[in-house]
Amino acid sequence: MTSKPISIREVTLHRLVMRLKNPFTTSFGTFQDKEFFVIEMEDEAGESGFGESVAFSSPWYSEETVETNKHMMEQFLIPLLVESPIDHPDEVSKRFEKIRRNNMAKSALEGAVWDLYAKRNQNPLYKELGGTRQQIDVGISIGIEPTAKKLVQVVEGFVNEGYKRMKIKIKPGADYEMLKEVRKHFPDIFLMADANSAYTLKDLDLLKKLDELDLMMIEQPLSHDDIIDHATLQSALSTPICLDESIHSFEDARKAVELGSCKIINIKIGRVGGLTESKKIHDYCAQKGIAVWCGGMLEAGIGRAHNVALTTLPQFTLPGDTAASTRYWVKDIIEPEVMVENGVIHVPNKPGIGYEVNRQALESYRVDKTVFSNKNILA
Ligand code: OSB
Ligand code: MG
C-alpha cells in the first residue's frame, strides 16, 4: 500500500523495570529483573507506533546493554530518523547503515516505525510484513534447573499447558544427564537444547553423545562469534545445529549457510537489527531450504507482539520461543496479553502490532522518561 511519507513529531523513551515471575538461568547468568525501553513514536497526525529494546542490563548475551541502547538512540539514531520524512520502514535500516552494529538499538526504533506505518495504513503489521498465518505454533525456553528431578517437573507443567516444543538451557555439568532424564520421561516430545556458547570443539565427545537423545536441534553450542568451528561440529553431528548469537545480519546468515555451520537459524529481530533484516534472512533461508524460527529475549508485550507478527511469515516452520505473557509477567504492558491456547497464539487482526498498550501498567513499571521533539516539524 502506498501512503504519505511519515514525519516523526516526537519520540518518547519510556524506561521500564519489570520483575520476572521466576528467575531464568542460562549458561552465562541468571535474569530476574528486566530493564528495557518502550519506544513511542508519534507522527504529524498524532498516530503512535511502539517498539521495544531487547538488550539486557549486562553485556552477557551480546555487547549491547540498556545504557548503550540509550546512548545510541539519543545521540545517533533518533537524529537520523527525524531529519527527513520516511517513505517506507525498509528505509530505516539504510539510514542506520553508517552506524556500526548496535543492532538492538536500531531495531527498537525501526520496530516503532513499522508499527506506525502499519497503523497509518490501517493494516495489521503481520500483513505489511508479508505474513500469512492466522495462528502460530509456540514452544518454550526453560532455564537451567538445579536438579534433573526439578527440570522434569517444570517440563511436565509446560507439556500440560500445550507448548509444542521444549527448549532446555544447558551448560557443562548440566547437559547430557539432565536431557536424558527429560527424554526418558517424555519419549515423544519435540525437545532441543540451547548452550548459549558454553562449549568448544574440545567437548566434541560430549556433544556427540547428545545425538542419542533425538533432539530437534542444538542451539549455539560454540562461541558467540564463530561460524567456522560450528561447520566442523555440524559435520560430526547428526543433530542439526541452530545458530543464534553468531548471526547478526543477512550476510552472517549467508556465510553460515554456505559454510554448512548450521541447518536451522533462530531469528531474533533485535539481534539482526530489525524486521527488515529479519525478512531478508527469512527470504534467503526459504530459498535455501533452511528452517527458521523466532527466538525470544524475555520480551514484554510490545516486543512479544513484534515477534508474533514476524512468525506469521511462511518459512517460520518450527515453533518459536514466543510464549504467553503469563510465562514471564504478573501483569504485561499490553491489552489483551499474549495468550497461548493448545500451543498456539491466534494472531490479532487489528492495525499495527494488534495489541493496545496498557498505559497504567506501563507507568507502573516506568523508572524514567525522555522526550525528543522534532524541531524540524515544530518550527
Ligand atoms: O539464547 O535464546 C536465548 C533468554 C535470554 C537470553 C538469550 C536467550 C534466552 C532464551 C529465552 O532462550 C527466550 C524467551 O523465552 O524469551
Ligand atoms: Mg539462544
Side-chain angles (χ1 to χ4, degrees):
M1 204 183 288
T2 49
S3 49
K4 200 160 112 258
I6 305 170
S7 293
I8 297 164
R9 179 160 72 190
E10 199 166 87
V11 181
T12 305
L13 302 184
H14 303 270
R15 187 172 182 142
L16 272 52
V17 178
M18 287 173 71
R19 171 144 284 221
L20 287 161
K21 272 186 182 172
N22 300 110
F24 185 85
T25 300
T26 70
S27 62
F28 54 73
T30 297
F31 296 93
Q32 176 61 260
D33 290 304
K34 174 95 201 261
E35 188 172 20
F36 62 97
F37 291 100
V38 167
I39 288 84
E40 179 173 3
M41 199 173 281
E42 200 185 296
D43 70 5
E44 74 289 348
E47 183 70 83
S48 288
F50 292 90
E52 183 174 318
S53 67
V54 298
F56 298 109
S57 304
S58 310
W60 293 336
Y61 168 81
S62 80
E63 73 281 11
E64 292 184 81
T65 66
V66 177
E67 276 299 312
T68 70
N69 278 186
K70 179 176 162 67
H71 171 63
M72 293 307 301
M73 289 192 288
E74 291 184 358
Q75 301 298 315
F76 300 101
L77 301 171
I78 293 172
L80 282 172
L81 264 189
V82 302
E83 74 184 10
S84 59
I86 299 164
D87 286 311
H88 188 276
D90 283 343
E91 281 169 29
V92 173
S93 50
K94 285 211 187 67
R95 246 183 235 203
F96 290 166
E97 231 166 28
K98 64 177 103 170
I99 310 289
R100 299 287 186 246
R101 297 180 68 107
N102 288 285
N103 285 352
M104 294 174 187
K106 291 173 177 173
S107 171
L109 293 168
E110 195 225 48
V113 176
W114 269 106
D115 180 33
L116 181 54
Y117 178 78
K119 282 176 176 155
R120 287 162 63 104
N121 289 341
Q122 306 225 347
N123 202 23
L125 173 61
Y126 83 91
K127 288 191 181 163
E128 291 290 351
L129 294 170
T132 48
R133 266 182 250 282
Q134 295 291 310
Q135 56 175 60
I136 60 170
D137 285 349
V138 292
I140 194 155
S141 176
I142 299 171
I144 297 170
E145 294 290 344
T147 62
K149 189 169 168 215
K150 181 75 203 301
L151 176 61
V152 168
Q153 281 170 5
V154 172
V155 171
E156 184 174 25
F158 291 128
V159 169
N160 292 339
E161 281 185 46
Y163 284 99
K164 298 209 171 186
R165 81 66 180 118
M166 304 288 143
K167 161 169 140 182
I168 315 287
K169 294 288 190 182
I170 57 169
K171 66 174 182 184
D175 42 38
Y176 176 75
E177 295 298 332
M178 303 271 266
L179 291 169
K180 196 170 126 185
E181 211 45 37
V182 173
R183 183 46 96 203
K184 198 178 92 191
H185 282 80
F186 308 98
D188 300 323
I189 58 170
F190 287 118
L191 183 63
M192 60 173 286
D194 185 359
N196 289 108
S197 302
Y199 300 89
T200 70
L201 285 179
K202 292 198 181 105
D203 303 303
L204 187 59
D205 290 343
L206 179 274
L207 294 166
K208 273 179 157 169
K209 270 211 319 191
L210 299 179
D211 274 343
E212 290 168 22
L213 302 173
D214 191 23
L215 303 180
M216 286 176 94
M217 70 193 91
I218 173 167
E219 186 177 342
Q220 197 72 35
L222 308 179
S223 180
H224 67 93
D225 56 359
D226 170 79
I227 54 173
I228 304 284
D229 287 354
H230 278 102
T232 306
L233 179 63
Q234 182 66 90
S235 62
L237 294 185
S238 55
T239 305
I241 290 176
C242 169
L243 288 178
D244 173 355
E245 282 90 330
S246 292
I247 307 297
H248 298 272
S249 62
F250 163 79
E251 276 301 313
D252 284 352
R254 179 182 67 77
K255 289 164 192 168
V257 170
E258 282 187 15
L259 283 172
S261 318
C262 64
K263 294 182 178 158
I264 299 169
I265 292 179
N266 162 339
I267 299 182
K268 287 184 184 169
I269 304 167
R271 195 192 69 230
V272 304
L275 285 165
T276 298
E277 194 73 9
S278 299
K279 277 205 309 167
K280 277 192 208 159
I281 297 172
H282 165 275
D283 294 352
Y284 172 76
C285 289
Q287 237 178 55
K288 295 286 169 183
I290 299 289
V292 304
W293 54 277
C294 183
M297 292 287 279
L298 310 172
E299 288 93 344
I302 292 164
R304 199 160 293 284
H306 282 269
N307 289 345
V308 170
L310 180 66
T311 306
T312 64
L313 271 67
Q315 192 64 6
F316 284 83
T317 50
L318 298 168
D321 276 348
T322 307
S325 296
T326 53
R327 187 265 186 280
Y328 309 86
W329 317 114
V330 173
K331 177 111 200 93
D332 205 341
I333 56 172
I334 51 166
E335 254 314 302
E337 301 198 351
V338 172
M339 279 177 308
V340 173
E341 290 166 10
N342 302 317
V344 305
I345 292 171
H346 296 276
V347 180
N349 271 300
K350 299 201 198 103
I353 57 174
Y355 298 85
E356 296 297 323
V357 173
N358 180 336
R359 292 275 173 186
Q360 199 188 351
L362 179 128
E363 279 164 30
S364 74
Y365 296 120
R366 191 167 62 199
V367 293
D368 194 20
K369 177 179 150 180
T370 322
V371 182
F372 301 85
S373 294
N374 186 352
K375 298 198 183 59
N376 298 331
I377 290 197
L378 293 179

